[in-house]
Amino acid sequence: MPNTLIFVDMPSDDPAAAGRFYAEVFGWQNDEKPAGVYHRMVPGGQFPNPDGSDSQIGNLHLGIFDAANARPHPDRPASRPAPSRKTDASRASGS
């Protein structure tokens, strides 16, 4: 199956607690790398078709990382309001 989603990253203020949640609620394997910093959640196996056979989806992984370690986008402007821009109409009127 082309363009199949297989990996998702998710920031969390508490990756260890988020890892425990997904392990307990969904039964996913909590692969700590290292604990509290990055948790790779592995559902395991292929997602089954309604008839029980393996689907073409593959094995989805959820990566939970410490939000404090996230880097801002390199082109992100500083945390201040953008300068106002005059529209063509306001320029023409002189305002």
Side-chain angles (χ1 to χ4, degrees), residues 1-9 47 56-61:
M1 178 179 280
N3 301 320
T4 301
L5 177 66
I6 60 167
F7 200 91
V8 177
D9 276 327
F47 286 89
Q56 295 180 359
I57 294 175
N59 197 348
L60 174 69
H61 292 217

Side-chain angles (χ1 to χ4, degrees), residues 32-83:
E32 304 169 339
K33 297 188 171 284
V37 177
Y38 185 83
H39 291 248
R40 183 175 67 116
M41 305 307 298
V42 184
Q46 306 284 334
F47 286 89
N49 289 315
D51 66 1
S53 63
D54 285 345
S55 73
Q56 295 180 359
I57 294 175
N59 197 348
L60 174 69
H61 292 217
L62 171 64
I64 305 171
F65 66 93
D66 189 337
N69 293 332
R71 295 184 201 158
H73 188 280
D75 295 331
R76 182 178 176 200
S79 298
R80 58 178 181 259

